[in-house]
Amino acid sequence: MGFWLISGDRVMRLSGACCVGVFLLTGFPNTTTATSDVRLVDATARQDAAAVRQLINEGLDVNASRADGVTALLWAAHWDEHKVAKLLLEAGANANMADDHGVTPLIRASENASIGMVKALLAAGADASIAQVSGLTPLMVAAHTGSIEVVQALLGHGAVVNAATDEMGATALMWAIAAPHRDIVMVLLENDAAVGVSSAKGMTPLLTAARSGDIETAKLLIAAGAGVNDLGSDGTHALPFAIINGQEAFALFLLEQGADPNGTIDGISALHAAVGNVDTWLIHWDRRHGNGRYLSRRRSGRKSLNAQQRLPVAKALLAHGADPDARITTTAMLMSYIGYPERGAFERFACGTGDLRGATPLWVAAFGSASDGWYGARQTQSSTEIIEVLLAAGADQYLTTDDGTTPFMAAAGLGRATFSPGQLRGGRSQGAEAAVQVLLAAGAEINARNEADYTALHGAAFRGLNEVVQYLVDHGADIDARDFRGRTPFRLAEGSKQSFQFQAFPETAELLKQLGANTRLGIPGTVQERADRVVAENLQP
């Protein structure tokens, strides 16, 4: 038993929604009060109709309840026992008595989508507007379970169409859209269901449809007055929300309906979301919407645009006026579990980047282009085309994140952790190879440094990308550039800390040596780690 409501990016269970008598069902001993005779409740719970009839004839109180407020009628509604319910109602059972969670027989009958039981209870005086403790109403329950007859019956008997749950602020319309039950959506809209409302977590009816890509329901909502640029209570636009949920067709539909191409979700524009994975910047949003700190896309319930879907969405956004130089306004850090953005690229467990606030769509696309290799499917052609489309639209590749990292550095691999024990080099990234070539041809500064003196070549060395290393050195990269700790690309490839692991790529180190790296600069990574531990130990009180 129970109901589930999708809220934010996670399926949330409404506590106490529909869980009467669980202990009795599983064989736990009965709980009774000192003054109540609950034999009638017990008989109904075990579906003993003959005993119910006999006890009623003996004059037992049909409204007696257990300590948790559960009555015989509530059990009859739970089991959908029409004959037993009729006996109880004819004997004077109160159709509006609720358990400790506020669950009434009408709510239970609505859960069962039992139009016969619902009609019998309504005829006996059940109040369709009574909500349980959480604010959940029979209408919301019926909108979720999907009986249009039950919904119509409740509306015909005074159900409040725009009632909302107390904590989440979800309405029956949101429940129907999330289910989904389009026929019930239509009935609710015909009865003046509000389309401009937002839940406490920022979900509107249109955003609920956007998450699942339900264009037909969206058309109904827009026809009923929903604005494609209406915001959730947290400022979320439907367009980027559809994109982060992998709904390409829905996003294009919204653009056709006049959606703002620069709409945002938590400071991330629709174009950012279209050109690459923005989960790193969505961590704060996800946490506010009920997900854990260390979120994975699988746990969030989101799917992603695939490489082939991203390009047409990006082109459509730019054609409708999306800003190719929009900046993400949300603070974020790769591998956020290792430190804090205020330490920036100086975080000792990071791989060269710090606070990624300020990233442009080009930065996101460049970073995403290097996602193949060990950690993902190859998407070379599409990611390179996205970079080219952004450059053609006037994207400024000299705009950096707050830590000073350029798109070129991100494309070369800076920022990503690699842990591949026993590997001689990193997995090849054709996406990174193509991206650095395109960006360099467009004027990238090959030896640009971020705030902690990391360069693109440092990034390639961190990941063991031999082909990128070769290309960068061939085109003038400073092979002996030193980061804020004095480490050269050779030293990083020789062995360095990445997140909490120590990674070495001996083939990459040998390549750098053959290309002319000064192998005497700096100190080996193993020595660096020992020195760090000694310092840390000496700092202990």
Side-chain angles (χ1 to χ4, degrees), residues 117-132:
M117 183 67 73
V118 166
K119 285 183 176 180
L121 291 168
L122 290 172
D127 188 342
S129 67
I130 293 178
Q132 63 185 66

Side-chain angles (χ1 to χ4, degrees), residues 2 32 105 174 231 259 265 344 355 367 384 397 410 412:
T32 63
M174 296 176 191
L231 304 179
I265 174 171
D355 192 345
F367 184 73
T384 303
Q397 71 163 309

Side-chain angles (χ1 to χ4, degrees), residues 169-449:
T171 65
L173 182 59
M174 296 176 191
W175 282 84
I177 295 170
H181 298 300
R182 193 172 300 137
D183 56 347
I184 292 177
V185 170
M186 294 175 68
V187 170
L188 294 171
L189 290 175
E190 290 168 359
N191 284 270
D192 300 321
V195 295
V197 295
S198 174
S199 74
K201 295 295 186 180
M203 294 301 295
T204 66
L206 185 60
L207 283 166
T208 306
R211 178 171 41 211
S212 60
D214 190 344
I215 293 176
E216 294 307 312
T217 294
K219 289 178 180 178
L220 295 174
L221 296 171
I222 292 170
V228 292
N229 291 312
D230 289 349
L231 304 179
S233 59
D234 64 348
T236 297
H237 286 80
L239 179 57
F241 187 68
I243 294 171
I244 69 165
N245 281 284
Q247 304 298 343
E248 172 196 15
F250 198 97
L252 296 175
F253 163 76
L254 288 175
L255 282 172
E256 293 170 359
Q257 299 298 312
D260 181 359
N262 293 303
T264 62
I265 174 171
D266 207 31
I268 304 160
S269 79
L271 188 57
H272 285 105
V275 300
N277 188 318
V278 291
D279 283 356
T280 295
W281 294 271
L282 282 171
I283 286 177
H284 310 289
W285 189 91
D286 282 319
R287 292 182 68 188
R288 292 197 301 273
H289 289 75
N291 292 298
R293 180 180 180 188
Y294 310 125
L295 181 78
S296 69
R297 180 167 289 276
R298 177 183 60 80
R299 284 180 53 210
S300 73
R302 289 196 300 269
K303 63 178 183 177
S304 176
L305 293 178
N306 61 43
Q308 288 68 43
Q309 291 173 317
R310 291 194 182 280
L311 185 59
V313 174
K315 286 182 175 179
L317 287 166
L318 289 167
H320 282 79
D323 181 3
D325 286 332
R327 313 293 290 275
I328 292 178
T329 59
T330 302
T331 287
M333 184 176 187
L334 293 168
M335 301 170 287
S336 59
Y337 56 87
I338 64 174
Y340 305 93
E342 55 263 31
R343 296 177 184 168
F346 301 98
E347 166 58 55
R348 62 188 296 261
F349 295 120
C351 295
T353 58
D355 192 345
L356 303 183
R357 184 175 58 187
T360 62
L362 183 61
W363 201 101
V364 173
F367 184 73
S369 69
S371 65
D372 57 352
W374 294 120
Y375 294 112
R378 298 189 186 281
Q379 52 181 355
T380 307
Q381 188 60 40
S382 60
S383 60
T384 303
E385 288 178 345
I386 288 175
I387 290 174
E388 291 173 337
V389 165
L390 290 169
L391 290 171
D396 184 352
Q397 71 163 309
Y398 304 111
L399 295 177
T400 73
T401 46
D402 276 14
D403 64 1
T405 301
T406 66
F408 185 72
M409 296 177 198
L414 198 65
R416 294 183 182 276
T418 302
F419 183 54
S420 304
Q423 298 296 325
L424 299 179
R425 55 153 294 169
R428 184 173 181 180
S429 174
Q430 293 181 340
E433 295 163 31
V436 295
Q437 291 179 38
V438 170
L439 290 169
L440 191 60
E445 296 179 9
I446 196 168
N447 288 313
R449 296 169 176 264

